[in-house]
Amino acid sequence: MTRSELGAYLKARRAQVSPEQLRLPSTGHRRVPGLRREEVAALTGVSVDYYVRLEQGRERTPSAQVVEALASALLLDDDGRLHLFRLAGLSPRARQSAVSDRVDPALLTLMAAWPDNPAVVYNRAYDVLASNPIADALFHDWAHSRNFMHVVFTDPAARTFYRDWPEVARNSVAGFRLGHGTAPDDPRIQQVLRELLDESPEFARLWAGHDARGKALAHKRFDHRDVGPLTLTMQTFDVRSSPGQELVVYHAEPASASSEALTLLGTLAATARQRGGR
């Protein structure tokens, strides 16, 4: 599986690099977009036959030097480079026993202390393991699913909720691919992958692109059914005490319309909880 994934990843990345990006002459008719195999081979310093065998999965032992040269030739960022090394078997995979769905109680206490900042913890399969009350309100109490990938790709309301749904979809698949490369044999990751490939043609199309990229500082635009438009900054942190878990915290620009909407959302959520407790 790893070797066929390696070849598919190389082919997909090759298709997304233009000769102009590498200042190569763009001559002759190109049947497919991107670089030719012989161009990648020349940039990497290997024979064309060797590179073809890599893409076809017939070469099983690329050296670290070759993989590093491939990462450079294909203009991979840090996440893409790490993913390539993992696919080549040159980076240790996470131990399955190290991945836990138990969230540290101290982290739960910290999240509860952020009444105005939606915060969630999720695993490599994008299952939401913990969320604070305002995050529950932001994501409609997870009525569709507590798995982010299912929320994005199988909830009919997602394209309205996420105002930049195409970008959210691309980034979600790239992050899921990176987690899959870290632990490709994880049963839960495999289950979510099968479900999405069966249920979402959009996911299947993006998955075939082989993007691998982690989350970073970003802005998310929502259209919430109760409070209207929100633009929130999203920051992502690795949970050091539980490898494989990530903490995402959202916040709004102070004194902005989004900040007011987030405050209103928190008030509505608190009111709903009080009514539910009666």
Side-chain angles (χ1 to χ4, degrees):
M1 179 178 184
T2 299
R3 300 309 163 188
S4 62
E5 282 284 314
L6 172 62
Y9 185 59
L10 290 173
K11 184 176 180 180
R13 294 300 91 202
R14 175 168 62 86
Q16 297 195 19
V17 180
S18 69
E20 291 77 15
Q21 287 177 278
L22 297 171
R23 298 182 179 179
L24 297 175
S26 181
T27 59
H29 174 68
R30 291 178 182 262
R31 293 179 299 169
V32 294
L35 299 176
R36 296 186 174 109
R37 286 172 170 173
E38 55 266 29
E39 290 170 332
V40 178
L43 290 167
T44 308
V46 299
S47 69
V48 176
D49 177 69
Y50 181 86
Y51 180 75
V52 169
R53 284 186 280 124
L54 277 175
E55 278 203 1
Q56 294 177 346
R58 294 186 289 118
E59 172 54 54
R60 297 180 176 273
T61 56
S63 68
Q65 182 179 4
V66 168
V67 174
E68 188 66 64
L70 285 167
S72 177
L74 298 174
L75 304 180
L76 300 182
D77 59 16
D78 290 344
D79 287 333
R81 177 179 173 275
L82 177 60
H83 187 63
L84 180 61
F85 268 82
R86 283 173 175 158
L87 293 179
L90 295 172
S91 179
R93 293 180 182 172
R95 294 177 299 166
Q96 297 301 309
S97 59
V99 181
S100 171
D101 285 347
R102 177 183 179 273
V103 180
D104 190 323
L107 180 55
L108 294 174
T109 300
L110 180 63
M111 293 167 61
W114 296 332
D116 300 320
N117 296 97
V120 301
V121 176
Y122 62 91
N123 60 17
R124 292 191 184 106
Y126 279 47
D127 292 318
V128 176
L129 307 177
S131 52
N132 62 3
I134 196 166
D136 294 338
L138 175 63
F139 290 97
H140 303 113
D141 291 314
W142 313 101
H144 179 75
S145 172
R146 284 189 69 89
N147 179 278
F148 267 132
M149 299 303 292
H150 279 289
V151 169
V152 172
F153 287 99
T154 67
D155 185 351
R159 287 164 177 77
T160 301
F161 177 60
Y162 293 106
R163 294 163 62 192
D164 302 301
W165 184 87
E167 180 182 356
V168 170
R170 285 194 302 271
N171 289 337
S172 297
V173 173
F176 189 79
R177 168 77 70 177
L178 196 64
H180 178 271
T182 303
D185 299 324
D186 183 285
R188 177 57 182 161
I189 293 177
Q190 288 296 323
Q191 178 186 359
V192 173
L193 176 59
R194 287 193 302 269
E195 291 169 350
L196 292 169
L197 288 172
D198 288 342
E199 298 173 25
S200 173
E202 294 94 339
F203 174 85
R205 177 180 60 81
L206 291 169
W207 184 253
H210 288 267
D211 281 337
R213 182 175 59 257
K215 291 183 180 297
L217 178 66
H219 297 283
K220 283 280 183 71
R221 301 198 310 154
F222 303 93
D223 192 355
H224 196 278
R225 67 189 179 198
D226 295 325
V227 299
L230 300 102
T231 298
L232 304 179
T233 298
M234 178 185 79
Q235 300 200 49
T236 306
F237 308 90
D238 290 329
V239 180
R240 297 289 297 274
S241 61
S242 299
Q245 293 183 6
E246 288 191 337
L247 167 68
V248 178
V249 183
Y250 301 85
H251 73 274
E253 189 70 24
S256 65
S258 293
S259 178
E260 294 176 2
L262 201 56
T263 299
L264 175 59
L265 183 63
T267 301
L268 293 174
T271 302
R273 287 196 303 274
Q274 290 174 355
R275 289 175 178 172
R278 292 176 181 174

